[in-house]
C-alpha cells in the first residue's frame, strides 16, 4: 500500500459514488457479513494485528467525509489507529495488511481511499434511508389529504368526495406557501378550484 502515497493522475481514478452531502447520521451500527468475513482471505491469511487494524479502519471510514472513505496520507492513517507510522507502513506492505482492498478514488477532485465492502454497505443503507423517506412522505401526504378532505367536506360535502378536487386544492395550498390551513385559506383554495374547474369546462365547450 506504499504506492498509495505516490502522486496519481486523479482523472484515471474511479469516481466515488457518494458526496459530502450523503449522510447516514442515524446509523449507529455497521452491518457485518459474518460468514463472508470468516471465509475471507484477509481473515485467513492476515496477521492478527493487521486484521484488527483493518476492522478499525473500516469502522473509522463510516465517520469520515465523504462517508465511507479514508485519507490517503499514511501518517494520518497511522494516527487514526494509534500505531507508529513506520510499523504501520510495514504492515501495509504485507499482502494482507490493514489497507487490504482499499483503493484510491476520485472524491469530487480529492484523492481518498474506498473499499468495495464499505461502498456496498453504504449503498444498501442509503437505499433503505431513501425508501423509508419515501414511505414517510407518502404516509404524511395521505394524512394531510385526509385532513383536507374532512375540512373541505365541512364546506361542501360533494367537493370533499372529489379526489381530483382535493388533490388540486392540496397542491394549490402548497404552491401558495400555506403553512396553517385555516378557514380563510381553505375558502380561498375552494374558490381557486371553482375558477379552475370553470375554465376547464369552458375550454371543453369551446373544443366541442
Amino acid at each position: 500500500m506504499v504506492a498509495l502515497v505516490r502522486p496519481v493522475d486523479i482523472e484515471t481514478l474511479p469516481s466515488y459514488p457518494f458526496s459530502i452531502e450523503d449522510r447516514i447520521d442515524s446509523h449507529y451500527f455497521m452491518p457485518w457479513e459474518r460468514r463472508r468475513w470468516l471465509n475471507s482471505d484477509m481473515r485467513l491469511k492476515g496477521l492478527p494485528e493487521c486484521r484488527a487494524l483493518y476492522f478499525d479502519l473500516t469502522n473509522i471510514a463510516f465517520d469520515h467525509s465523504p462517508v465511507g472513505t479514508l485519507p490517503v496520507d499514511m501518517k494520518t492513517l497511522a494516527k487514526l489507529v494509534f500505531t507508529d507510522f513506520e510499523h504501520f507502513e510495514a504492515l501495509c506492505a504485507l499482502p494482507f495488511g490493514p489497507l487490504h482492498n482499499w483503493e484510491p478514488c476520485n472524491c469530487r477532485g480529492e484523492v481518498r481511499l474506498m473499499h468495495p465492502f464499505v461502498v456496498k454497505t453504504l449503498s444498501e443503507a442509503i437505499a433503505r434511508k431513501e425508501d423509508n423517506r419515501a414511505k414517510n412522505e407518502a404516509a404524511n401526504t395521505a394524512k394531510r389529504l385526509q385532513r383536507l378532505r374532512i375540512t373541505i367536506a365541512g364546506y361542501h360535502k360533494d367537493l370533499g368526495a372529489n379526489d381530483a378536487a382535493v388533490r388540486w386544492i392540496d397542491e394549490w395550498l402548497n404552491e401558495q406557501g400555506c403553512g396553517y390551513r385555516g378557514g380563510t385559506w381553505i375558502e380561498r383554495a375552494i374558490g381557486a378550484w371553482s375558477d379552475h374547474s370553470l375554465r376547464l369546462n369552458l375550454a371543453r365547450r369551446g373544443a366541442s
Side-chain angles (χ1 to χ4, degrees):
M1 300 306 295
V2 178
L4 289 173
V5 298
R6 295 175 183 170
V8 294
D9 182 0
I10 194 170
E11 298 300 327
T12 65
L13 298 177
S15 296
Y16 191 62
F18 308 112
S19 69
I20 58 175
E21 285 78 26
D22 292 304
R23 311 289 298 178
I24 53 169
D25 295 332
S26 61
H27 288 66
Y28 299 104
F29 65 93
M30 178 185 69
W32 187 257
E33 297 183 32
R34 180 177 59 85
R35 290 186 181 277
R36 181 176 179 177
W37 167 248
L38 291 176
N39 294 285
S40 68
D41 286 341
M42 181 63 204
R43 177 180 175 274
L44 297 174
K45 299 178 181 179
L47 296 175
E49 184 179 9
C50 290
R51 299 202 303 266
L53 295 178
Y54 172 89
F55 184 70
D56 258 11
L57 289 169
T58 300
N59 281 272
I60 289 169
F62 279 83
D63 283 335
H64 272 237
S65 182
V67 62
T69 65
L70 292 171
V72 295
D73 183 71
M74 296 289 280
K75 290 184 178 179
T76 300
L77 291 169
K79 289 180 180 179
L80 288 173
V81 290
F82 311 110
T83 304
D84 174 75
F85 166 63
E86 292 184 356
H87 180 58
F88 179 75
E89 193 173 42
L91 291 176
C92 288
L94 297 174
F96 296 93
L99 290 176
H100 180 63
N101 276 347
W102 284 89
E103 298 293 342
C105 63
N106 183 348
C107 294
R108 307 297 193 275
E110 179 187 6
V111 179
R112 291 183 66 84
L113 300 180
M114 69 175 182
H115 193 286
F117 165 76
V118 177
V119 170
K120 176 177 179 291
T121 301
L122 284 172
S123 297
E124 293 173 351
I126 291 176
R128 286 194 299 270
K129 177 182 176 182
E130 294 300 324
D131 185 51
N132 289 335
R133 179 186 298 170
K135 289 179 180 178
N136 289 335
E137 288 178 354
N140 290 336
T141 298
K143 291 178 181 178
R144 187 180 69 248
L145 289 173
Q146 182 60 20
R147 289 194 299 268
L148 181 60
R149 185 186 305 278
I150 293 172
T151 303
I152 293 173
Y155 288 86
H156 195 295
K157 184 177 180 180
D158 290 341
L159 187 60
N162 186 330
D163 287 339
V166 172
R167 290 184 176 278
W168 189 94
I169 290 173
D170 177 67
E171 184 176 344
W172 185 88
L173 288 168
N174 288 336
E175 290 175 351
Q176 301 304 310
C178 172
Y180 174 68
R181 297 182 171 188
T184 301
W185 272 109
I186 296 299
E187 291 170 6
R188 288 178 59 188
I190 292 175
W193 163 256
S194 297
D195 293 341
H196 171 71
S197 182
L198 178 61
R199 287 194 297 270
L200 287 179
N201 289 332
L202 291 175
R204 292 193 189 99
R205 290 174 185 173
S208 61

